[in-house]
Amino acid sequence: MTWSNWLVFCGVSLFMAFTPGPAVLLAVSNSVSVGPRRAMWGSLGNAVGVFLVSAVAMAGLGVLLSSSATAFMVLKLAGAAYLVYLGIRQWRSGANAFADTRRPDEALPPATLRLFGHGLTVAVTNPKSILFFSALFPQFLTPGAPVAEQFFVLTATFAVFTVLSHAFYVLLARGMKHSFSDLRRVRLFNRIAGAAFVLLGLGLLRLRSRVY
């Protein structure tokens, strides 16, 4: 892979990573609910999910999804259902990490492993991501060069930019922590974020593969 190809890929990755989507929304909502530091565990889970999605795309699942309506529909329904679940959970949440209003007998924030799992699941249940990697990666692969090395470089680059984008949005939410000092504002944010998750899930149902 040439430096020029890698730099072009960096530009595309930066644009995609900083474009708000389910993973960014999850990072921001986690930041409000459990705090910026713990929210990054979800982002790390998403980065691991990026590696898994990239691997299955390179293995040919992207071709399967673009040629099999059934496989595409199953993964699309799973991704949409999970986003709707996250939306309902966020809508009902009253947690606010910027204002420690929890009593000693109230539940603790979600475990680190659970946050990691949410980020991972959001990444791997999105068929759009698999199709994206399947269409994007071949444009930057150098014929005749080792595929495994190129796969690792491209995926690691995209994953790093993803974590950086989440850190940016998490810090942005932290900078607005005074806006979340009122529990009524927190409930409003949780309901807006929850509705956004549901809309993203319903929007995923509108995604069509090339076989439709």
Side-chain angles (χ1 to χ4, degrees):
M1 182 186 305
T2 63
W3 277 104
S4 58
N5 276 359
W6 182 74
L7 289 175
V8 172
F9 179 79
C10 285
V12 174
S13 298
L14 275 173
F15 176 78
M16 294 300 300
F18 278 84
T19 300
V24 169
L25 181 58
L26 180 64
V28 173
S29 61
N30 282 341
S31 178
V32 174
S33 300
V34 299
R37 291 184 180 179
R38 290 172 60 83
M40 291 310 297
W41 282 104
S43 299
L44 291 176
N46 189 260
V48 172
V50 166
F51 266 94
L52 293 178
V53 168
S54 176
V56 297
M58 294 290 287
L61 184 56
V63 176
L64 173 64
L65 292 180
S66 63
S67 60
S68 171
T70 301
F72 185 85
M73 178 63 71
V74 168
L75 188 57
K76 182 172 70 172
L77 289 176
Y82 191 71
L83 289 177
V84 171
Y85 158 73
L86 289 179
I88 295 174
R89 186 177 65 94
Q90 187 70 30
W91 180 283
R92 300 175 60 184
S93 174
N96 179 12
F98 298 124
D100 190 10
T101 58
R102 290 182 291 107
R103 297 190 301 271
D105 58 333
E106 288 182 317
L108 293 174
T112 297
L113 185 60
R114 187 183 304 175
L115 294 171
F116 185 91
H118 284 318
L120 176 67
T121 307
V122 165
V124 301
T125 57
N126 189 351
K128 190 175 181 179
S129 297
I130 298 177
L131 294 176
F132 167 75
F133 281 115
S134 298
L136 181 66
F137 273 25
Q139 310 302 321
F140 295 92
L141 295 177
T142 302
V147 175
E149 293 180 9
Q150 296 183 81
F151 155 77
F152 180 81
V153 170
L154 293 176
T155 307
T157 300
F158 191 89
V160 167
F161 285 145
T162 297
V163 173
L164 288 177
S165 72
H166 291 183
F168 168 79
Y169 284 107
V170 165
L171 291 176
L172 184 64
R174 182 180 182 182
M176 300 173 61
K177 65 180 180 180
H178 296 297
S179 302
F180 298 108
S181 57
D182 188 344
L183 286 179
R184 288 176 297 181
R185 293 180 180 178
V186 174
R187 293 192 185 97
L188 178 61
F189 169 82
N190 286 335
R191 291 184 177 181
I192 292 175
F197 272 121
V198 172
L199 288 176
L200 286 171
L202 296 178
L204 193 62
L205 291 176
R206 296 174 58 86
L207 181 67
R208 293 178 178 271
S209 72
R210 287 174 291 181
V211 300
Y212 282 19

